[in-house]
Amino acid sequence: MRSVTAFNTGWYFHDGFEDGLREELRPGRAVVLPHSAVELPLAYFDETTYQRPFTYQKALQWSEAFEGREVSLVFDGAMADAVVFLNGEQVAAHPDGYTPFEARLTGRLRRGENLVTVRIDGSENPGIPPFGGQIDYLTYAGIYRDVWLKTVDRVSIERVKIEAQDVLADAKSLSVRCEVRNAGDASGGTLTASLRDLGGREIARTEAPLAGDAVTLRMAGLAGIALWDIDDPVLYDVEVMLESPGGSDRLVTPFGFRSAEFTPDGFRLNGRALKIRGLNRHQAWPYSGYAMGRRAQERDAEILKHDLKCNLVRTSHYPQSPWFLDHCDRIGLLVFEEIPGWQHIGDAS
């Protein structure tokens, strides 16, 4: 079964980067993630101060829980060009500051102390969205979202995509696409999906044999389902269970049943006309740049919904914090989420 724990404390921060930091843990400034590489004054600062490399280091102690399992670090966001080293060896590179990525440590961990070094480069690079001289906002460097230590069995659930169908009918349908990571070449097994309300009551259950790296489970004839709406944001959980010779896993995903469409007559939510009242949001704060944790992200959603009376937010111009997006679902705030970039999404490569 999976274990996902916060990996935000115990980091050392260094201005700049040099090759020796790949293999040697050096005392630097002790920091806690999320973290901004440069402290930003309220009124004025020189944006070139963070357009350069920086280094984060942390010691990771071996655990018996790692034995025979898949171990990785999940970065929710690091600005902008990130490279992850383990004991001097590069294990991941992610040239994008706005999307999450995973650094696989399996097979490279040694008993005792391991060194994780992350080099980030805040330089504007036309090959990395959104750079290219087309943006009108700033991109503050740092490991500015949470990092997680993930441990799963050799066969595990990679991701789940939920699609609700027939949502305006009395009997609704649901498809749950499960992508599976099979690191052990195990064969056989079963995937089970359970639909539950937030009180934990099971509404429906289905299962299918594990075949290949993707399986879609379907539920039909779902009666008595409440729709998610801006004034009544009803959510449900889909719990996916995996059982196989290569291990077991469990992943719970919240979601809502709703219909949203733009028509020649305007926007319609759940079949009814809705006048959109929305604002754009950039994920920036004074002093800390992009580096804000869960409560600040959730509070921003609440300000948009309750203080500014919005019913929609546009994440201009990039994917934003999972804490913010999930809270929008909980409080009834529609989200128009964009890919990284504005008029430019990278070079020819």
Side-chain angles (χ1 to χ4, degrees), residues 23-94:
E23 299 181 358
E24 180 186 359
L25 178 61
R26 300 179 188 174
R29 188 164 82 241
V31 299
V32 176
L33 307 183
H35 178 259
S36 179
V38 175
E39 184 174 330
L40 303 160
L42 175 63
Y44 176 80
F45 56 89
D46 181 356
E47 66 185 81
T48 63
T49 59
Y50 58 78
Q51 293 177 11
R52 55 192 177 92
F54 301 92
T55 306
Y56 293 83
Q57 292 186 300
K58 176 172 175 169
L60 171 61
Q61 297 296 329
W62 170 265
S63 168
E64 292 302 322
F66 299 161
E67 188 68 51
R69 308 187 77 209
E70 285 288 301
V71 183
S72 61
L73 294 177
V74 180
F75 292 77
D76 282 350
M79 181 58 66
D81 190 357
V83 181
V84 183
F85 303 93
L86 178 68
N87 300 323
E89 179 184 1
Q90 180 177 322
V91 294
H94 190 70

